[in-house]
Amino acid sequence: MLDIKDLSFLEKQNNFDFKSFLIKIVGYWKWFILSFIITFSIAHQVNVRKQKIYGIGTTISVKEENNQMFTSNTSLIFNWGGTSDKVQMIATSLKSRSHNELVVDDLQFYIDYIIKTPYYYKDVYGQVPFKITIDKSQKQLYEEFIKLKFLNSNTYQISIPFSDSSAKCINYFDNTLSHVTVKKGEFVKTFKVGQKVDLPFLNWKLMLEENPAGIIGQEILIRFNSFNNTVIKYKGITIDIDEKAPSIINLSMQGTNKNRMVDYLNSTVDVLIKRQLESKNKFAENTISFIDETLANMEKELKNSGDELRDFSKNHDIAEIEEGGSNYKNRLMELDKEKDAVERKIAYLNSLKSYLQSSTDFSKLPAPTIAGIEEQNIAVNVAKLIDLSIQRSELLYSAKGGIFYERKDNELQSVKKVLLENISSLRSVLQYDLTKVDQKLALLEGDLKQLPESKQNYLSISRKYDLNNGIYNTYLQKRSEASIIKASNLPDVQIIDPAKDVGKGLLGPKTSVNYVIAFFLGLFIPLFVVFLIFFINNAVQNIDDISLVTQLPLIGIVGIKRTESNLSVFERPKSALSESFRAIRSSLQFLYKKQSREGSKTLMLTSSVSGEGKTFCSINIATVFALSERKTIILGLDLRKPKIFDDFNIRNDIGVVNYLIGQKKLDEVIQQTHIPYLDVITSGPIPPNPSELIMGDSMKEMIDRLKENYDYIILDTPPVGLVSDALELDQYSDVTLYVVRQNFTKKEMLTLLNNRTKRGELNNVSIIFNGYENKAKYGTGYGYGYGYGYGYGYGQSSGYHVDDEPVGFFNKLMFKIKNIFNR
């Protein structure tokens, strides 16, 4: 830490008056207290006027859950593009418009529950013991406050101040706006809890969730907002993907109502999981739908072939016909099944190729396994197409999903191209297999022609029936498998940590931070103001300012004049101000004695510029000499701006100028005053050449003649900073008093004074500190009232007397700090 003793070193190095600056800071302690009061009051008002902001979060994981839809090693939803891509897609989906529309619609978050406080409107969703359920197909009053008040536990009243004869309404079924005619004025109506509100502008049911006793008589505001604007608001949900565990997604929200955020976060995850399952079940649903259509057609064929076989059996002996033909029947059945399987595969491939070439939505494709295709490439690529198609459709309305939508579309086109090549390749193989089966059937059917006609007809009918029956049973089995798979699907999203209000999560306003900021602002604002005052106001403020600029002795300190005229000592001889002039008189006598000056003595008063109190000090110093019965005379030598005569009620018709130019004798220009032993020679009429008059021999002659009759001669001269008259008069002066006025005289003027004394232009110079006012007791001015000054001697700039001890805590504290600085 910097020791006070080191200040002088820093002052020399940086030309900065640390001591004066610290003293000034201490002197303005009331400013600091006022500043702290203001800043802490503002911080308090800010804290009470701001709603508390909370943060709520939930954590989910994205994990690939396989389902054996196609083969034992083929999953329905593939991780096309890697885990990070699926995570990114889910994160984008959570911020999509389509997803948030589902959540907002499910929660009906376009309805506000509000209580008006003295400073803001408070969202009380989840804090009121009731909930409103609306009829989405009916109109609701749009963006207007509906006042709701419980009259008792079973009755509530609504009131709406209609300012116009038309009211805007919204229909949440299609989010359209319309106007209805209403009666201008206050609408008031009472309803029962659970009763349907059926009005042209309101349609709801209010249901209690708990006893409303706590809010009876309290006014709750209900408002229906824009559906789209509400969705946009909740699209701002924050989603962070864990860098260390990319499959972990953290969802968070900030707001004023924790209940609303908890419900929304949990609901958004539930909707996501539901949509994930729907996506994964889409393939199974497509397959089941395809099988159901096929089974419906197969039932007709099976019924027809069964009827045909039954009719044939009525007219023939089936046992006799089957004898010897069973071998052919079994061989034909095997070949028919083999041909049907190949044809179904070819038909599926033809249909798939046509669909790929003519459609852009591939989410409705059935599984290849229903056609018996076990080809790995076909099954994998069909699953990829379905997955990518679903993902792309989810990204279509996402505000930030454009880049992912384009990526999915490119991936889809690549998979489609590969799948078309796979179809072409497999179709060639199947066409070859079909030709082989047809050749075998042709040979076997050639052998059948050698059998009797009845056996040939029976084999044909039974062959058709058995084939249809086998296919029908196969499809029934596949439908059962698809239903099982659909029921066993698991979502890829798992909840790790659901959103919950655990009593924490406060984000702001940081009341403690605001008070800390208020403290520093309360400290630095006045500190900065004092800093500006210290540098911008370069006037002398205290004794230290004088002692730091000049080594000239401070002979006395003069306080503020409390009288109308300048005759303060004569009018109030017992005042502290009078005592300060008596202290100056004592110090002057010491100076004259040190110079061994006997007889008449001269004293010249001057200053830097006009207005520093030379005439005031001249009159009162002359007065204290006169009151001690010493013959004293004041010479008004400020020939350009005469002043002395007004205070003594004398005229300025004749004076120094008249004597110097030879118009009047000395006795004729001397005027007596009403103060005993005190005479005055005014300056007289303003001459055109005052400097030349002062430099003449007449001036020396006048001084010499006055010394013969007066003990003290006071020369009131013009400022040395403006004219050189005082420099010419210095030769007639035994002691020169340089008047410095608090908060008026510039420090640079004291530097000029130093230069004049060094060059010998002014001699035997001492300083009077005039107009001193102790604005902060025991602070800026080291604690004295007007500074009586007893004990001041030549060359002293401190060591003055302090009469009274400070009173009060702050005064005592400042007094102690002052003593530290003095040391």
Side-chain angles (χ1 to χ4, degrees), residues 339-600:
K339 181 179 180 179
D340 179 73
V342 174
E343 286 179 341
R344 281 191 291 111
K345 291 179 181 179
I346 293 174
Y348 177 86
L349 293 177
N350 290 337
S351 176
L352 180 59
K353 180 179 179 180
S354 176
Y355 192 87
L356 292 175
Q357 292 175 340
S358 61
S359 180
T360 57
D361 182 12
F362 308 112
S363 61
K364 298 180 181 180
L365 290 175
T369 52
I370 63 172
I373 296 177
E374 304 292 342
E375 177 66 28
Q376 182 74 10
N377 293 332
I378 300 290
V380 169
N381 288 325
V382 168
K384 287 180 180 179
L385 276 179
I386 296 173
D387 187 27
L388 291 171
S389 184
I390 294 173
Q391 292 180 20
R392 185 182 64 168
S393 64
E394 290 178 347
L395 295 172
L396 182 60
Y397 298 106
S398 175
K400 298 182 179 180
I403 184 172
F404 293 106
Y405 181 85
E406 184 178 352
R407 183 187 301 173
K408 295 299 176 186
D409 195 55
N410 292 334
E411 292 174 0
L412 191 145
Q413 294 300 324
S414 298
V415 175
K416 174 182 172 181
K417 183 178 179 180
V418 173
L419 184 57
L420 288 172
E421 294 177 355
N422 293 335
I423 291 171
S424 179
S425 176
L426 181 59
R427 191 172 179 279
S428 299
V429 174
L430 292 175
Q431 198 64 47
Y432 175 79
D433 292 342
L434 182 60
T435 303
K436 289 290 187 180
V437 174
D438 286 338
Q439 290 176 355
K440 293 179 180 179
L441 280 172
L443 291 175
L444 187 57
E445 287 174 351
D447 294 340
L448 286 175
K449 291 179 180 180
Q450 299 176 7
L451 295 175
E453 184 178 354
S454 59
K455 286 189 177 184
Q456 291 183 32
N457 292 335
Y458 173 74
L459 288 175
S460 176
I461 294 172
S462 62
R463 174 185 174 186
K464 184 189 299 184
Y465 175 81
D466 291 340
L467 179 62
N468 290 335
N469 187 54
I471 295 173
Y472 186 83
N473 290 331
T474 301
Y475 274 109
L476 283 177
Q477 181 182 356
K478 289 186 178 294
R479 191 189 189 286
S480 177
E481 292 174 356
S483 298
I484 294 172
I485 290 172
K486 178 184 177 182
S488 62
N489 269 332
L490 295 175
D492 293 336
V493 176
Q494 302 292 330
I495 301 176
I496 296 177
D497 193 9
K500 184 179 180 181
D501 178 12
V502 294
K504 297 182 179 180
L506 180 64
L507 300 178
K510 298 292 187 180
T511 55
S512 57
V513 173
N514 288 342
Y515 286 125
V516 171
I517 293 173
F519 172 79
F520 283 105
L521 286 176
L523 177 65
F524 285 115
I525 288 176
L527 191 66
F528 179 72
V529 173
V530 173
F531 185 83
L532 289 179
I533 293 174
F534 187 78
F535 281 96
I536 294 175
N537 184 7
N538 198 31
V540 175
Q541 300 293 322
N542 50 51
I543 298 170
D544 287 314
D545 290 344
I546 299 174
S547 62
L548 289 171
V549 177
T550 181
Q551 297 298 317
L552 295 173
L554 178 66
I555 199 173
I557 300 172
V558 179
I560 298 296
K561 180 182 69 171
R562 305 298 180 185
T563 58
E564 294 184 4
S565 70
N566 285 328
L567 302 176
S568 299
V569 172
F570 182 75
E571 293 178 359
R572 300 179 63 182
K574 295 183 179 181
S575 66
L577 185 64
S578 299
E579 291 298 331
S580 66
F581 280 109
R582 292 188 181 96
I584 293 173
R585 180 188 62 186
S586 300
S587 298
L588 286 172
Q589 289 173 346
F590 174 79
L591 294 177
Y592 289 135
K593 184 176 181 180
K594 189 174 182 179
Q595 295 178 11
S596 301
R597 188 72 62 183
E598 299 293 339
S600 180

Side-chain angles (χ1 to χ4, degrees), residues 9-47:
F9 169 75
L10 294 174
E11 291 165 4
K12 294 178 181 178
Q13 296 294 323
N14 300 290
N15 195 27
F16 179 78
D17 186 357
F18 280 97
K19 188 175 181 181
S20 296
F21 182 61
L22 292 175
I23 292 172
K24 186 173 288 295
I25 291 175
V26 173
Y28 285 98
W29 60 270
K30 292 182 180 178
W31 287 24
F32 285 88
I33 294 177
L34 179 61
S35 178
F36 283 132
I37 292 174
I38 293 173
T39 54
F40 274 89
S41 297
I42 293 174
H44 175 71
Q45 292 300 319
V46 168
N47 288 339

Side-chain angles (χ1 to χ4, degrees), residues 681-700:
I681 302 178
T682 63
S683 60
I686 299 174
N689 56 344
S691 296
E692 287 73 10
L693 289 177
I694 290 175
M695 294 172 62
D697 293 335
S698 298
M699 185 68 201
K700 182 177 184 303

Side-chain angles (χ1 to χ4, degrees), residues 789-822:
Y790 293 125
Y792 273 59
Y794 185 83
Q796 292 176 319
S797 59
S798 60
Y800 37 84
H801 178 67
V802 180
D803 287 336
D804 299 318
E805 285 296 318
V807 178
F809 171 76
F810 285 107
N811 290 341
K812 291 180 179 180
L813 177 63
M814 297 303 111
F815 184 71
K816 291 180 180 179
I817 294 175
K818 175 267 296 184
N819 289 335
I820 294 174
F821 287 151
N822 281 344

Side-chain angles (χ1 to χ4, degrees), residues 106-137:
D106 182 58
L107 294 172
Q108 294 189 1
F109 265 16
Y110 39 76
I111 304 176
D112 282 342
Y113 302 81
I114 295 171
I115 290 179
K116 186 178 180 180
T117 71
Y119 303 114
Y120 50 80
Y121 288 98
K122 182 180 179 182
D123 181 6
V124 290
Y125 169 86
Q127 300 171 22
V128 291
F130 65 88
K131 191 172 183 180
I132 290 173
T133 303
I134 68 168
D135 184 351
K136 296 180 182 179
S137 64

Side-chain angles (χ1 to χ4, degrees), residues 732-757:
Y732 307 116
S733 173
D734 297 327
V735 175
T736 299
L737 295 183
Y738 195 90
V739 180
V740 174
R741 183 176 174 182
Q742 184 186 32
N743 205 30
F744 189 91
T745 304
K746 303 300 180 184
K747 295 178 183 178
E748 291 83 356
M749 294 299 181
L750 295 180
T751 303
L752 294 176
L753 175 63
N754 289 335
N755 295 333
R756 293 187 185 280
T757 56

